[in-house]
Amino acid sequence: MTNIKSIIEKSMKEIKSKGLKGQINVISTESKNASFSNGKLEQLTEGEKGAAGIKVISPDGRTATSSSNILTEEGIMQAVEKAIEMTKYTEKDEANDISNDEQFTYIDWAFDADTKDMNLDEVMKLAQELEKKAKSEDERIKFVRGAEYEVALTRIHFGNTNGLYKNALFTNAASSISLAAIEGEDSSFGFDYQLSQSYRLIDIDRIVKNSVEMAVSGLKSEVLSSGRYDIVMSPFASSMFLGTLITPLSGENVYKGKSFLKDELGEKVANSTVTLIHDPMNGSAPIIASFDNEGTNTSRFNVIENGVLKGFLHNIYSAKKLGAKPTGNSFASVESPNPSIGTINLHFIANKTRKDILNVPKALYVTNIMGMHTADPVSGRFSVQISGRLIENGEFVRSFRGMTLAGTLEELLNNLEYIGSDFKYLGPVAGSTMLIRDLSVGGK
């Protein structure tokens, strides 16, 4: 793809010659991956995959998209022609447009040459080491479902008919493990993961410790009595909660009336201690973006500030529909090269340490949530299965499983009191230890 910029220029020239507007994203990822299960190599792969996403807009706002995983001039130009042809069949909508933001920052600190240059044998040895350490950590660890290590290099090229061309290059390293502890007839699963810009920042020992502790602590767990409990969410659990907020915060869903927050702009929607930010330029995050996949420049902004809803996550379309400005929240991937509203680094602002949060008289410490993705973005209602440990006087005293946490996302936001500084990145969000007061939990 050494001539990708010239291909982008040619494709945009073709779209412009038809009197149309257009944009293109070309995304490719080179990756090396290895995973072990019970002493056996389960997967060992090395390769590159890529895709191009094209969007074309007519003068009256008719829009069409197409994509291609053939990143040659011929493959991309065929996709362009297909998108041009399809515009005649779509509806008029003047809110469809393209960016005119000139590039202001090229981020190079998200790239680590040593991570890029790791060979497959090195990746395999790290995955194998992860599994061996987990098995030797505790004799009750009898089964490792998967110990995985991966490094990747991602390239992004963006262009449009306004003459914009932007590109980015970044590396990632990721490691995860899932395992089981068995004692007598009782068993319990544990897991952990870590994502970073560089393999040097992946702490295998910590991944092993966290996953083994989770599995072992789950042995002899029980169903506790139903009632209202203070809930302490682990970083993993809180990231799942935070991820469910992306849909109701999406400007497109707000415009369509598919959000419980649609009439709440400028209103108090959370505890006054809560501030939620989108920060795609955070240098400590695993993924950094100075522009989104519509070419809009990104910046840090407050979504919720001291409990008040300050704004939504916008692409160009939703911003025009709601009379706002694009916020740089339109993102794509190799799997979905035509962008949709999303986030890069969405997280709450910390106001306590993890140690202080855990020092509560009584609470349920939730380590795993099943079904959080089923929360209804319109009503905000959810009902999920939870497991974890009971805290009494700042100490873990026993474990629980098979209990039901039910309520609304609005209730979670308003009852959220403390947010820890122990951030853990899970895809587009970063969770941390959080204390949410007085929630309804079903048990025995």
Side-chain angles (χ1 to χ4, degrees), residues 249 261 263-277 301-312 348 413-414:
L249 285 170
L261 295 169
D263 299 318
E264 301 299 321
L265 190 63
E267 301 295 325
K268 187 175 182 298
V269 298
N271 192 314
S272 59
T273 62
V274 173
T275 294
L276 176 65
I277 69 169
F301 66 92
N302 291 348
V303 182
I304 297 173
E305 183 178 313
N306 298 326
V308 176
L309 181 62
K310 305 296 286 187
F312 297 107
F348 292 107
L413 286 169
N414 278 285

CSV table of all heavy atoms in Angstrom, one decimal, residues 249 261 263-277 301-312 348 413-414:
chain,number,residue,atom,x,y,z
A,249,LEU,N,-25.9,8.1,24.8
A,249,LEU,CA,-25.2,9.3,24.6
A,249,LEU,C,-24.9,9.7,23.1
A,249,LEU,O,-24.5,10.8,22.8
A,249,LEU,CB,-23.9,9.3,25.3
A,249,LEU,CG,-23.9,9.5,26.9
A,249,LEU,CD1,-22.6,9.2,27.5
A,249,LEU,CD2,-24.4,10.9,27.3
A,261,LEU,N,-31.8,10.0,27.6
A,261,LEU,CA,-31.2,11.3,27.9
A,261,LEU,C,-31.6,12.3,26.9
A,261,LEU,O,-31.1,13.5,26.9
A,261,LEU,CB,-29.7,11.1,27.9
A,261,LEU,CG,-29.1,10.3,29.0
A,261,LEU,CD1,-27.6,10.0,28.7
A,261,LEU,CD2,-29.2,10.9,30.4
A,263,ASP,N,-34.0,14.4,26.4
A,263,ASP,CA,-34.5,15.8,26.8
A,263,ASP,C,-33.7,16.3,28.0
A,263,ASP,O,-34.2,17.3,28.6
A,263,ASP,CB,-36.0,15.7,27.1
A,263,ASP,CG,-36.8,15.2,26.0
A,263,ASP,OD1,-36.6,15.7,24.9
A,263,ASP,OD2,-37.7,14.3,26.2
A,264,GLU,N,-32.5,15.8,28.2
A,264,GLU,CA,-31.8,16.1,29.5
A,264,GLU,C,-30.6,17.1,29.3
A,264,GLU,O,-29.9,17.3,30.3
A,264,GLU,CB,-31.3,14.8,30.2
A,264,GLU,CG,-32.5,13.9,30.5
A,264,GLU,CD,-33.5,14.5,31.5
A,264,GLU,OE1,-33.1,15.2,32.4
A,264,GLU,OE2,-34.7,14.3,31.3
A,265,LEU,N,-30.4,17.6,28.1
A,265,LEU,CA,-29.2,18.4,27.9
A,265,LEU,C,-29.3,19.7,28.8
A,265,LEU,O,-30.3,20.4,28.9
A,265,LEU,CB,-29.1,18.9,26.4
A,265,LEU,CG,-27.8,19.6,26.0
A,265,LEU,CD1,-26.6,18.7,26.2
A,265,LEU,CD2,-27.9,20.1,24.6
A,266,GLY,N,-28.2,19.9,29.6
A,266,GLY,CA,-28.2,21.0,30.5
A,266,GLY,C,-28.8,20.7,31.9
A,266,GLY,O,-28.8,21.5,32.8
A,267,GLU,N,-29.4,19.5,32.0
A,267,GLU,CA,-30.0,19.1,33.2
A,267,GLU,C,-29.1,18.1,34.1
A,267,GLU,O,-28.2,17.5,33.5
A,267,GLU,CB,-31.3,18.3,32.9
A,267,GLU,CG,-32.3,19.1,32.1
A,267,GLU,CD,-32.8,20.3,32.9
A,267,GLU,OE1,-33.0,20.2,34.1
A,267,GLU,OE2,-33.1,21.4,32.2
A,268,LYS,N,-29.4,18.0,35.3
A,268,LYS,CA,-28.7,17.2,36.2
A,268,LYS,C,-29.1,15.7,36.0
A,268,LYS,O,-30.3,15.4,36.1
A,268,LYS,CB,-28.9,17.5,37.7
A,268,LYS,CG,-28.0,16.8,38.7
A,268,LYS,CD,-28.3,17.3,40.1
A,268,LYS,CE,-27.3,16.6,41.1
A,268,LYS,NZ,-27.6,15.1,41.2
A,269,VAL,N,-28.2,14.9,35.6
A,269,VAL,CA,-28.5,13.5,35.2
A,269,VAL,C,-27.7,12.5,36.1
A,269,VAL,O,-27.8,11.3,36.0
A,269,VAL,CB,-28.2,13.2,33.7
A,269,VAL,CG1,-29.1,14.0,32.9
A,269,VAL,CG2,-26.7,13.4,33.4
A,270,ALA,N,-26.8,13.0,36.9
A,270,ALA,CA,-25.9,12.2,37.7
A,270,ALA,C,-25.6,12.9,39.1
A,270,ALA,O,-25.9,14.1,39.2
A,270,ALA,CB,-24.6,11.8,37.0
A,271,ASN,N,-25.0,12.1,40.0
A,271,ASN,CA,-24.5,12.7,41.2
A,271,ASN,C,-23.6,13.9,40.9
A,271,ASN,O,-22.8,13.8,40.0
A,271,ASN,CB,-23.8,11.6,42.0
A,271,ASN,CG,-23.5,12.0,43.4
A,271,ASN,OD1,-23.0,13.1,43.7
A,271,ASN,ND2,-23.8,11.1,44.3
A,272,SER,N,-23.6,14.9,41.7
A,272,SER,CA,-22.8,16.1,41.5
A,272,SER,C,-21.3,15.8,41.6
A,272,SER,O,-20.5,16.6,41.2
A,272,SER,CB,-23.2,17.2,42.5
A,272,SER,OG,-23.0,16.7,43.8
A,273,THR,N,-20.9,14.6,42.1
A,273,THR,CA,-19.5,14.2,42.2
A,273,THR,C,-19.0,13.6,40.8
A,273,THR,O,-17.8,13.4,40.7
A,273,THR,CB,-19.2,13.2,43.3
A,273,THR,OG1,-20.0,12.0,43.0
A,273,THR,CG2,-19.7,13.7,44.6
A,274,VAL,N,-19.9,13.5,39.9
A,274,VAL,CA,-19.6,12.7,38.6
A,274,VAL,C,-19.3,13.7,37.5
A,274,VAL,O,-20.1,14.6,37.1
A,274,VAL,CB,-20.8,11.8,38.2
A,274,VAL,CG1,-20.6,11.2,36.9
A,274,VAL,CG2,-21.0,10.7,39.3
A,275,THR,N,-18.1,13.5,36.9
A,275,THR,CA,-17.7,14.1,35.7
A,275,THR,C,-17.3,13.0,34.7
A,275,THR,O,-16.4,12.2,35.0
A,275,THR,CB,-16.6,15.2,35.9
A,275,THR,OG1,-17.2,16.2,36.7
A,275,THR,CG2,-16.1,15.7,34.5
A,276,LEU,N,-17.9,13.0,33.5
A,276,LEU,CA,-17.5,12.0,32.5
A,276,LEU,C,-16.9,12.7,31.3
A,276,LEU,O,-17.5,13.7,30.8
A,276,LEU,CB,-18.8,11.3,32.0
A,276,LEU,CG,-18.7,10.3,30.9
A,276,LEU,CD1,-17.8,9.1,31.3
A,276,LEU,CD2,-20.1,9.8,30.4
A,277,ILE,N,-15.7,12.3,30.9
A,277,ILE,CA,-15.0,13.0,29.8
A,277,ILE,C,-14.7,12.0,28.6
A,277,ILE,O,-14.6,10.8,28.8
A,277,ILE,CB,-13.7,13.6,30.3
A,277,ILE,CG1,-12.7,12.5,30.6
A,277,ILE,CG2,-13.9,14.5,31.4
A,277,ILE,CD1,-11.3,13.1,30.9
A,301,PHE,N,-13.4,16.7,25.9
A,301,PHE,CA,-14.5,17.5,26.3
A,301,PHE,C,-15.3,16.8,27.4
A,301,PHE,O,-15.2,15.5,27.5
A,301,PHE,CB,-15.4,17.9,25.1
A,301,PHE,CG,-16.1,16.7,24.5
A,301,PHE,CD1,-17.4,16.3,24.9
A,301,PHE,CD2,-15.5,16.0,23.5
A,301,PHE,CE1,-18.0,15.2,24.3
A,301,PHE,CE2,-16.1,14.9,22.9
A,301,PHE,CZ,-17.3,14.5,23.3
A,302,ASN,N,-16.0,17.5,28.2
A,302,ASN,CA,-16.9,17.0,29.3
A,302,ASN,C,-18.2,16.6,28.7
A,302,ASN,O,-18.9,17.4,28.1
A,302,ASN,CB,-17.1,18.0,30.4
A,302,ASN,CG,-15.8,18.2,31.2
A,302,ASN,OD1,-14.8,17.5,31.0
A,302,ASN,ND2,-15.8,19.2,32.0
A,303,VAL,N,-18.6,15.3,28.9
A,303,VAL,CA,-19.9,14.9,28.5
A,303,VAL,C,-20.9,15.1,29.6
A,303,VAL,O,-22.0,15.7,29.4
A,303,VAL,CB,-19.9,13.4,28.2
A,303,VAL,CG1,-21.3,12.9,27.7
A,303,VAL,CG2,-18.9,13.0,27.1
A,304,ILE,N,-20.5,14.8,30.8
A,304,ILE,CA,-21.2,15.1,32.1
A,304,ILE,C,-20.2,15.9,32.9
A,304,ILE,O,-19.1,15.5,33.1
A,304,ILE,CB,-21.7,13.9,32.8
A,304,ILE,CG1,-22.7,13.1,31.9
A,304,ILE,CG2,-22.4,14.3,34.1
A,304,ILE,CD1,-23.2,11.8,32.5
A,305,GLU,N,-20.7,17.0,33.5
A,305,GLU,CA,-19.8,17.8,34.3
A,305,GLU,C,-20.5,18.1,35.7
A,305,GLU,O,-21.5,18.8,35.7
A,305,GLU,CB,-19.4,19.1,33.6
A,305,GLU,CG,-18.5,20.0,34.4
A,305,GLU,CD,-18.1,21.3,33.6
A,305,GLU,OE1,-17.8,21.2,32.4
A,305,GLU,OE2,-18.2,22.4,34.2
A,306,ASN,N,-19.9,17.6,36.7
A,306,ASN,CA,-20.5,17.8,38.1
A,306,ASN,C,-22.0,17.4,38.1
A,306,ASN,O,-22.8,18.1,38.7
A,306,ASN,CB,-20.3,19.2,38.6
A,306,ASN,CG,-18.9,19.6,38.7
A,306,ASN,OD1,-18.0,18.8,39.1
A,306,ASN,ND2,-18.6,20.9,38.4
A,307,GLY,N,-22.3,16.3,37.4
A,307,GLY,CA,-23.6,15.7,37.4
A,307,GLY,C,-24.5,16.3,36.3
A,307,GLY,O,-25.6,15.7,36.0
A,308,VAL,N,-24.1,17.3,35.6
A,308,VAL,CA,-24.9,18.0,34.6
A,308,VAL,C,-24.5,17.5,33.2
A,308,VAL,O,-23.3,17.5,32.8
A,308,VAL,CB,-24.8,19.5,34.6
A,308,VAL,CG1,-25.6,20.2,33.5
A,308,VAL,CG2,-25.3,20.0,36.0
A,309,LEU,N,-25.5,17.1,32.4
A,309,LEU,CA,-25.2,16.7,31.0
A,309,LEU,C,-24.9,17.9,30.1
A,309,LEU,O,-25.7,18.8,29.9
A,309,LEU,CB,-26.5,16.0,30.4
A,309,LEU,CG,-26.4,15.4,29.0
A,309,LEU,CD1,-25.3,14.3,28.9
A,309,LEU,CD2,-27.7,14.8,28.5
A,310,LYS,N,-23.6,17.9,29.6
A,310,LYS,CA,-23.1,19.0,28.9
A,310,LYS,C,-23.2,18.8,27.4
A,310,LYS,O,-23.2,19.8,26.6
A,310,LYS,CB,-21.7,19.3,29.3
A,310,LYS,CG,-21.5,19.5,30.8
A,310,LYS,CD,-22.2,20.8,31.3
A,310,LYS,CE,-21.5,22.1,30.9
A,310,LYS,NZ,-22.1,23.2,31.5
A,311,GLY,N,-23.2,17.6,26.9
A,311,GLY,CA,-23.3,17.4,25.5
A,311,GLY,C,-23.4,15.9,25.1
A,311,GLY,O,-23.2,15.0,26.0
A,312,PHE,N,-23.6,15.6,23.8
A,312,PHE,CA,-23.6,14.3,23.4
A,312,PHE,C,-22.4,13.9,22.5
A,312,PHE,O,-21.6,14.8,22.2
A,312,PHE,CB,-24.9,14.1,22.6
A,312,PHE,CG,-26.2,14.3,23.4
A,312,PHE,CD1,-27.0,15.4,23.2
A,312,PHE,CD2,-26.6,13.3,24.3
A,312,PHE,CE1,-28.1,15.6,24.0
A,312,PHE,CE2,-27.7,13.5,25.1
A,312,PHE,CZ,-28.5,14.7,25.0
A,348,PHE,N,-14.8,8.3,33.6
A,348,PHE,CA,-15.1,9.2,34.7
A,348,PHE,C,-13.9,9.8,35.3
A,348,PHE,O,-12.8,9.2,35.2
A,348,PHE,CB,-15.9,8.5,35.8
A,348,PHE,CG,-17.3,8.0,35.3
A,348,PHE,CD1,-17.6,6.7,35.1
A,348,PHE,CD2,-18.3,9.0,35.2
A,348,PHE,CE1,-18.8,6.3,34.8
A,348,PHE,CE2,-19.6,8.5,34.8
A,348,PHE,CZ,-19.9,7.2,34.6
A,413,LEU,N,-26.2,6.3,37.6
A,413,LEU,CA,-25.5,7.6,37.5
A,413,LEU,C,-25.8,8.5,38.8
A,413,LEU,O,-24.9,9.1,39.3
A,413,LEU,CB,-26.0,8.4,36.3
A,413,LEU,CG,-25.4,7.8,34.9
A,413,LEU,CD1,-26.1,8.5,33.7
A,413,LEU,CD2,-23.9,8.1,34.8
A,414,ASN,N,-27.0,8.5,39.2
A,414,ASN,CA,-27.4,9.3,40.3
A,414,ASN,C,-26.8,8.8,41.7
A,414,ASN,O,-26.6,9.5,42.6
A,414,ASN,CB,-28.9,9.5,40.4
A,414,ASN,CG,-29.4,10.6,39.5
A,414,ASN,OD1,-29.2,11.8,39.7
A,414,ASN,ND2,-29.9,10.2,38.3
